[in-house]
Amino acid sequence: MRRRLLARALPAFVLLAAVAGPALAQEALTYQQPPAPIAEILDTKPTPSSSLSPDRTTLALFDRSNLPPIAELAEPMLRLGGYRINPRNNGQANSRVSWLTGLSFQPVAGGEARAVQLPANARFLSPSWSPDGSKVALLMDAPTGLELWVVDVATARATKLTEARVNATTGGAFDWLSDSAGLVVRLTPEGRGAAPDVSRPPSGPIVAESMGRVAPARTYQDLLSNAGDEALFDHYFTSQLTYVPINGRGARNLGAPAVYLGASSSPDGRYVLTTTAKRPYSYVVPASLFPAETRVIDLQGRMVHQVADLPLRDNIPTPFDAVAPGPRSVSWRADAPATLVWTEAQDGGDPRTASEVRDRVFMLAAPFSAQPTTLIDLNERYGGVVWGDADTAMVTSRWFNTRHETRYVIDPSNPGMGRVLLERNYQDQYNNPGFPLTEPNAQGFSVARFDANGRLLMTGPGATREGEYPFLAAMDLNTGQSERLWTSATGEYESIVGVLDDGARRLVTRRETKNDPANLFVRDLDAATTTALTAFTDPAPQLAGVSRQLITYTRADGVQLSGTLYLPAGYDKDRDGPLPLVMWAYPAEFTDAAVAGQVVDTANRFVRPGGSSHLFLLTQGYAVLDDPSMPIIGKDGAEPNDTYIEQLTASAEAAVNAVVEMGVADRDKIAVGGHSYGAFMTANLLAHTDLFRTGVARSGAYNRTLTPFGFQAEQRTYWEAPETYNEMSPFAFANRVNEPILLIHGEADDNSGTFPVQSERFYAALKGNGAQVRYVVLPLEAHGYRARESVGHTLWETVRWLDTYVKNAGPRAAQ
């Protein structure tokens, strides 16, 4: 039975294989603490996050919770329809929630921040500004569910609006109306009883059949698997859409309860766009692909217009540019009172079908009784629209196969035609023109900003060889030419949080340097001055003396590579000599070697590790080569992965040679590691090279035949490219792994393609071939590790393993 209710905490132990020698049994081990000062850093309170109010007067500062205890992850969890939920509060599972614990308001004009008085031990999520900027709504956790609260900015007082009935199983559970006087909220149906009893014996087998219909499906996680799951899905995901006024009087239901996957109010506040799932449910795809209806209702709950009645979508082709037929990406036009916008594939959703028009974008204004208007035809897939004003908007289209992006300028008042503004390879960092600067309009919808001359304001990361330097620019939409209005100063990384005036001359920015943690400032472009708004301190001063530099080197085939080299505080190469070194990487696929070789320095960034970061190894005497380039390039139409092993090996060899020639690393004391696709890389490098003494592989996939309908950037199925699938699978070469390897995996991994069975089977293959391998299973953990105990133990395992097989290892045995 795939449905799993973790009603009781699992024992606080980790399943382990023996460190050396044949594994005869499993050892029980309590959670271990990493060596100093790692544990102290892990327990440091995180820096608050921030958000600028729509009226540009106030910054909300949110205190964030630290790593949660394992007891929180041990709360009951249900896996239903691709979601993981907490049945206690009808919200998302704790493994997917980052709780906020405090709120204060910082006036942009200056002065002390005002703390909001919240209940003792409060924790909340999903804070959202009202359109007028006078209030913040949030979901407060309570013993029996989630409550909707609203906080008044002027008084810093918090008020509860609903009982603990908010239904947040699918994420966003409420939406402000444009008048800021009320919200549309998803509540559990009044009088909902206990969850259905699914513990009874089954009445028969579960049968699936496919009678010749082509319906490939990727390796989705957490799907429904039986009638009991369906009953639980209906119970927990059914909501009553409700209008809730902030004055607490006059709440009313909008229509009948349904399984709402989404609900958003129109800019004029007269309508609500809803998407509801309906039966028959599926056991092979998540709820987002169940049969669904997209409708417009009014604030009395009456249906006004049906946008789409979609069937089960379990037969979408496997290429990444494939989509389901029918209306998709349905939304409200941000700068109009009530106009729907959506797109529909004109090639049946299959990119292998020849078609001059791939996607057609439609508009339909209230009262929704006319025929839809074609906004624009696209020869690539629709990537979204940024609305500006009545006669200006920007539409983006993309095509994965070529990594090509096109941006069009369109006149919504004269739809049907668009003018190409620019085309680019969207992986090209150096030539990224940025994206339109947006801010909420009076209705709370994001729209593009223009300067006094009608030019579109653009902001972007500003990637250069020397580093990323965010910028503000003005783009002439007639010529496509941009003028830089401001760029982050040399040695600083300063990004725009928001604009404070109509002329975009006063900005709220977030600024950091190599040595200074990020803080918020008001920057006046005309006066060339900055005023500090916050004074956050270094959360990990123990790492202040660490040095880092970008190093560049060349692969044997001429591809330019780079990585960031970190050295421990106080290290002196002449005095200390070569260090044990860890390379931590993640491969990426490209279609252009020049783009793959782009180098971006990080010398202007404030870097401190968190979670189970490999950078903590700097406190233990290791050098770290972080994110060394591992590009897999497909040239002249060739598929990148057909030469994956050759390119991966060449990149790793170039990186090893670079750090050894610099004199900072001993060729005999280098380890490799990675998470997810980086773990896959690690296993392959140990199987196909002798460059490393050991490897650390976390939450990886090692047998590509278990993901036969594509993986990562591989679009072909196993049956279309069996040689590539087999040659890329380190499982098939487990007999060649002659270096020790540490495998770590979350017991409840929720990432598509990295089921825990991947590590289980790889461990069995390695063990059966006499490898030195340790396999650590982290109870209750998903793809990323959340609990304080799990994170601490992961770092303890990593340090101990590397100390044994790298730092304190003797000379390498003859191969």
Side-chain angles (χ1 to χ4, degrees):
M1 183 183 295
R2 283 296 308 281
R3 178 189 61 80
R4 187 167 187 183
L5 175 60
L6 299 177
R8 297 179 299 276
L10 292 182
F13 65 81
V14 183
L15 302 178
L16 302 161
V19 175
L24 301 179
Q26 303 297 311
E27 58 173 305
L29 182 68
T30 57
Y31 289 111
Q32 301 295 301
Q33 288 285 347
I38 299 176
E40 180 182 351
I41 297 172
L42 289 178
D43 293 330
T44 300
K45 184 178 179 180
T47 300
S49 58
S50 63
S51 175
L52 179 66
S53 64
D55 63 4
R56 308 169 179 169
T57 65
T58 308
L59 279 166
L61 303 178
F62 301 102
D63 294 332
R64 299 181 293 142
S65 62
N66 214 329
L67 296 171
I70 194 68
E72 284 192 17
L73 268 65
E75 275 201 79
M77 178 176 70
L78 291 171
R79 309 180 190 188
L80 300 167
Y83 292 95
R84 292 188 173 185
I85 68 167
N86 185 337
R88 175 188 62 79
N89 64 12
N90 232 96
Q92 296 189 340
N94 283 336
S95 62
R96 296 187 174 185
V97 173
S98 295
W99 294 104
L100 302 173
T101 58
L103 169 61
S104 59
F105 294 122
Q106 170 66 55
V108 171
E112 294 295 321
R114 294 175 295 115
V116 176
Q117 293 300 312
L118 298 173
N121 301 315
R123 62 179 191 176
F124 61 93
L125 50 89
S126 303
S128 174
W129 286 104
S130 61
D132 64 5
S134 67
K135 297 174 178 61
V136 172
L138 52 87
L139 296 182
M140 185 75 67
D141 192 35
T144 59
L146 296 170
E147 303 165 341
L148 178 65
W149 287 58
V150 66
V151 183
D152 183 80
V153 176
T155 63
R157 290 183 57 188
T159 305
K160 185 172 73 169
L161 290 186
T162 74
E163 297 303 319
R165 289 179 49 209
V166 177
N167 191 337
T169 49
T170 60
F174 63 88
D175 193 46
W176 279 100
L177 293 178
S178 58
D179 61 4
S180 299
L183 307 96
V184 175
V185 187
R186 283 180 255 174
L187 301 176
T188 58
E190 191 169 4
R192 184 185 73 170
D197 180 6
V198 296
S199 63
R200 291 168 294 183
S203 58
I206 299 169
V207 178
E209 65 179 17
S210 184
M211 310 305 287
R213 176 172 168 264
V214 177
R218 295 187 178 274
T219 50
Y220 296 113
Q221 298 271 40
D222 304 328
L223 303 178
L224 303 181
S225 61
N226 54 46
D229 282 355
E230 294 190 54
L232 289 170
F233 182 81
D234 278 334
H235 178 81
Y236 286 106
F237 285 77
T238 296
S239 299
Q240 173 63 65
L241 208 60
T242 305
Y243 168 69
V244 178
I246 60 171
N247 63 15
R249 298 186 300 273
R252 64 179 180 272
N253 293 338
L254 306 182
V259 177
Y260 285 97
L261 301 180
S264 62
S265 61
S266 60
D268 65 3
R270 296 174 58 197
Y271 305 101
V272 181
L273 176 64
T274 67
T275 298
T276 55
K278 61 181 183 178
R279 291 177 177 268
Y281 298 151
S282 172
Y283 296 177
V284 296
V285 294
S288 60
L289 297 174
F290 287 0
E293 287 183 306
T294 300
R295 296 175 170 180
V296 176
I297 63 173
D298 63 19
L299 289 188
Q300 304 303 317
R302 297 170 299 209
M303 189 180 84
V304 176
H305 176 67
Q306 180 169 283
V307 184
D309 186 0
L310 299 172
L312 174 67
R313 286 145 290 160
D314 65 347
N315 60 343
I316 300 174
T318 55
F320 294 157
D321 289 313
V323 295
R328 68 180 201 280
S329 301
V330 186
S331 63
W332 294 111
R333 177 176 164 179
D335 64 333
T339 296
L340 294 169
V341 184
W342 71 91
T343 187
E344 295 186 38
Q346 303 300 298
D347 56 5
D350 192 340
R352 297 167 296 192
T353 301
S355 180
E356 290 186 8
V357 177
R358 293 291 180 183
D359 274 355
R360 177 166 293 155
V361 184
F362 295 95
M363 289 193 308
L364 181 62
F368 317 110
S369 56
Q371 289 298 310
T373 300
T374 297
L375 179 64
I376 190 172
D377 283 340
L378 304 172
N379 60 7
E380 299 169 322
R381 290 291 178 228
Y382 173 67
V385 58
V386 177
W387 301 100
D389 53 30
D391 56 10
T392 308
M394 179 186 291
V395 172
T396 300
S397 68
R398 284 188 166 191
W399 199 248
F400 177 85
N401 260 356
T402 57
R403 312 306 197 267
H404 184 263
E405 175 185 273
T406 307
R407 298 189 193 175
Y408 301 85
V409 176
I410 59 173
D411 179 355
S413 66
N414 185 26
M417 296 293 293
R419 176 170 50 83
V420 175
L421 179 65
L422 61 90
E423 298 182 74
R424 60 185 297 266
N425 181 323
Y426 60 74
Q427 290 182 307
D428 183 350
Q429 301 179 84
Y430 290 173
N431 297 298
N432 184 349
F435 213 67
L437 178 68
T438 63
E439 68 175 4
N441 60 15
Q443 292 72 40
F445 284 71
S446 292
V447 294
R449 286 290 310 272
F450 299 88
D451 73 357
N453 298 314
R455 297 179 299 178
L456 185 65
L457 293 176
M458 305 282 285
T459 183
T464 69
R465 165 63 177 77
E466 291 73 28
E468 282 191 338
Y469 290 93
F471 63 84
L472 177 67
M475 176 180 284
D476 187 318
L477 295 179
N478 292 315
T479 66
Q481 297 299 308
S482 287
E483 177 191 356
R484 287 284 179 97
L485 304 178
W486 167 81
T487 302
S488 181
T490 300
E492 300 178 357
Y493 182 89
E494 188 172 3
S495 57
I496 298 174
V497 175
V499 176
L500 295 179
D501 65 320
D502 291 340
R505 304 304 297 168
R506 295 181 67 244
L507 313 171
V508 175
T509 64
R510 182 179 183 273
R511 187 176 70 188
E512 63 186 75
T513 70
K514 177 181 178 181
N515 299 314
D516 302 313
N519 272 287
L520 299 169
F521 295 81
V522 172
R523 172 171 288 279
D524 189 316
L525 298 184
D526 292 327
T529 59
T530 58
T531 303
L533 294 175
T534 60
F536 303 136
T537 58
D538 187 346
Q542 301 93 331
L543 291 164
V546 166
S547 69
R548 79 175 180 271
Q549 69 177 105
L550 181 77
I551 64 171
T552 59
Y553 45 97
T554 305
R555 205 164 73 177
D557 60 1
V559 174
Q560 297 297 306
L561 305 176
S562 66
T564 301
L565 177 65
Y566 290 84
L567 299 170
Y571 171 72
D572 183 287
K573 182 172 67 175
D574 295 332
R575 181 192 66 210
D576 302 324
L579 293 172
L581 180 141
V582 177
M583 285 173 37
W584 198 270
Y586 192 96
E589 296 82 355
F590 297 86
T591 58
D592 185 329
V595 170
Q598 289 181 344
V599 174
V600 180
D601 203 344
T602 60
N604 60 333
R605 301 302 304 270
F606 184 80
V607 177
R608 293 293 183 268
S612 53
S613 172
H614 51 283
L615 293 181
F616 280 116
L617 293 167
L618 292 162
T619 68
Q620 306 303 308
Y622 290 87
V624 176
L625 183 59
D626 186 36
D627 197 24
S629 305
M630 296 286 173
I632 311 299
I633 306 165
K635 300 178 181 178
D636 302 322
E639 292 290 340
N641 284 336
D642 287 347
T643 53
Y644 173 88
I645 297 299
E646 297 92 324
Q647 294 192 64
L648 184 71
T649 299
S651 295
E653 186 172 23
V656 168
N657 290 339
V659 293
V660 170
E661 290 167 7
M662 289 179 66
V664 298
D666 180 343
R667 188 180 297 274
D668 210 32
K669 293 192 174 184
I670 300 178
V672 64
H675 188 94
S676 193
Y677 207 52
F680 173 74
M681 170 208 73
T682 297
N684 265 313
L685 287 172
L686 295 187
H688 296 285
T689 78
D690 291 315
L691 295 168
F692 305 100
R693 291 301 300 269
T694 189
V696 178
R698 300 177 185 169
S699 298
Y702 309 102
N703 185 348
R704 299 281 45 139
T705 69
L706 298 178
T707 54
F709 289 105
F711 59 89
Q712 204 68 11
E714 178 56 64
Q715 303 181 80
R716 297 168 297 177
T717 70
Y718 170 78
W719 299 273
E720 292 171 319
E723 296 84 4
T724 298
Y725 272 70
N726 290 324
E727 289 171 6
M728 287 183 69
S729 297
F731 176 86
F733 301 93
N735 60 325
R736 298 187 187 179
V737 177
N738 53 12
E739 297 89 6
I741 183 170
L742 172 63
L743 302 176
I744 302 176
H745 214 120
E747 173 265 344
D749 194 321
D750 57 348
N751 182 56
S752 178
T754 54
F755 289 93
V757 70
Q758 290 273 2
S759 287
E760 293 170 15
R761 296 293 182 263
F762 191 44
Y763 167 71
L766 291 166
K767 173 176 171 289
N769 280 283
Q772 291 179 285
V773 57
R774 182 175 177 92
Y775 176 32
V776 181
V777 180
L778 300 174
L780 306 172
E781 292 291 353
H783 192 59
Y785 315 146
R786 291 288 314 282
R788 171 63 176 82
E789 292 88 342
S790 302
V791 169
H793 190 90
T794 295
L795 293 168
W796 176 81
E797 290 279 0
T798 302
V799 171
R800 192 173 74 125
W801 188 263
L802 294 174
D803 283 353
T804 301
Y805 293 108
V806 179
K807 181 189 288 186
N808 301 319
R812 188 192 297 262
Q815 300 293 330

